[in-house]
Amino acid sequence: MQQNITHYNVYTQTEFDERDDLIYPSELKGGMWATFMQQDPISDQYWVRFHDVYSDYQLYIAEGNRFIARIKSVPVFFEGDIADLPDAGWDWAIQNSIEIHEKGITPNMVSAIEITFLPEYRGQGLSTVGIKLMRLNAQRKGFDKLIAPVRPNQKHQFPLIPMEDYITWRREDGLSYDAWLRTHERLGAEIVKVAPQSMIIPGTIAEWHDWTGLEFPATGNYIVPEALSPIHIDYNSDQGIYYEPNVWMLHTI
């Protein structure tokens, strides 16, 4: 799929794997997510697998020989009304993609997984390019629907506001308050529903301390930087758990 976007090049996972001259910055490999966001059990179980199975759905943007962005999606199968997309969101999409592959089920749509840019390339309109590339790739493979469990990029500033309320916030022009939701809307995407358990991240209290650097002195809910909703700590079970809420959006291609 190698193609040129102005002075950038786009590669699939397969093309990337075949080259030894391309530089993959270490800060891009982790997706630049907070440490606790990299502890999702579903991701740990299926991440390498879906890259192998669906390598031509994983796109990378390079400037010269250095990658500056990664764009990840997977084909999925969902039967039913689109308004009833699973509450599991991101976790569901990854797991579903592998399960249908193993069962020989033909997918009927594509789900976004991630669009991540190096910090110095943000604010240049490249996020719009990333969504367009993902849509184009889905279209080339014969799909007419791209769903996305979108992580609103300003929601972490308002962790106590329910996501159901947050997505109703609008600017004077009628578009979403949140910049990432707004980017999808400008490309024609519609909000379908909230995915209240898009990721489920469990851990011991000690692990949550290691992941966040914070103290959790007693059972209760805690606000953690970069989390979209509070983390619940339970001393009776020595566990903390985070339910990541995302927003299902639909792109009709």
Side-chain angles (χ1 to χ4, degrees):
M1 187 185 173
Q2 183 178 351
Q3 58 181 279
N4 184 264
I5 306 175
T6 62
H7 63 291
Y8 301 111
N9 290 313
V10 181
Y11 301 89
T12 65
Q13 180 78 47
T14 301
E15 291 166 336
F16 162 41
D17 291 341
E18 292 173 347
R19 299 277 297 271
D20 58 9
D21 59 325
L22 298 174
I23 299 170
Y24 196 180
S26 58
E27 60 268 37
L28 190 60
K29 291 181 180 180
M32 291 168 290
W33 302 110
T35 300
F36 74 90
M37 287 291 294
Q38 300 178 47
Q39 314 304 320
D40 175 49
I42 295 296
S43 176
D44 289 345
Q45 183 176 355
Y46 294 107
W47 191 261
V48 173
R49 179 81 168 130
F50 87 71
H51 283 75
D52 291 340
V53 173
Y54 301 117
S55 60
D56 50 348
Y57 288 81
Q58 318 315 317
L59 309 178
Y60 300 85
I61 298 178
E63 183 174 43
N65 68 337
R66 178 175 179 256
F67 286 116
I68 65 167
R70 61 189 204 180
I71 303 164
K72 300 183 180 295
S73 62
V74 291
V76 296
F77 178 80
F78 179 73
E79 189 174 32
D81 193 311
I82 202 75
D84 297 323
L85 281 168
D87 288 348
W90 198 85
D91 280 351
W92 170 83
I94 292 177
Q95 186 169 5
N96 178 272
S97 73
I98 297 303
E99 288 180 348
I100 64 171
H101 172 76
E102 293 176 345
K103 295 176 181 178
I105 298 172
T106 301
N108 59 356
M109 60 185 73
V110 173
S111 176
I113 295 298
E114 178 188 61
I115 298 177
T116 303
F117 283 85
L118 291 175
E120 61 265 35
Y121 289 89
R122 295 174 185 168
Q124 301 179 27
L126 291 175
S127 293
T128 297
V129 173
I131 297 172
K132 288 181 176 179
L133 283 170
M134 190 181 288
R135 286 170 47 136
L136 177 61
N137 198 48
Q139 184 181 41
R140 285 175 169 173
K141 295 182 179 301
F143 296 97
D144 61 4
K145 290 184 179 65
L146 171 70
I147 55 175
V150 178
R151 187 178 204 266
N153 61 7
Q154 290 162 274
K155 175 64 172 70
H156 69 94
Q157 300 171 12
F158 310 97
L160 299 180
I161 301 296
M163 185 68 86
E164 289 80 1
D165 294 337
Y166 182 77
I167 62 175
T168 68
W169 294 3
R170 297 278 157 179
R171 306 192 315 175
E172 290 184 359
D173 61 5
L175 292 174
S176 288
Y177 167 84
D178 187 86
W180 193 214
L181 295 179
R182 197 163 62 242
T183 299
H184 283 268
E185 286 180 334
R186 282 178 170 149
L187 292 173
E190 300 177 1
I191 291 176
V192 176
K193 59 172 287 190
V194 171
Q197 298 182 3
S198 195
M199 279 188 191
I200 301 177
I201 301 176
T204 65
I205 296 171
E207 286 174 329
W208 275 102
H209 171 71
D210 290 342
W211 298 339
T212 66
L214 301 177
E215 299 292 338
F216 303 100
T219 293
N221 294 329
Y222 291 83
I223 293 174
V224 169
E226 302 303 320
L228 307 191
S229 60
I231 312 300
H232 182 70
I233 296 293
D234 183 357
Y235 266 77
N236 290 323
S237 61
D238 185 28
Q239 186 178 60
I241 192 162
Y242 171 58
Y243 296 100
E244 159 101 345
N246 288 169
V247 182
W248 276 120
M249 301 191 75
L250 170 66
H251 291 260
T252 301
I253 303 172

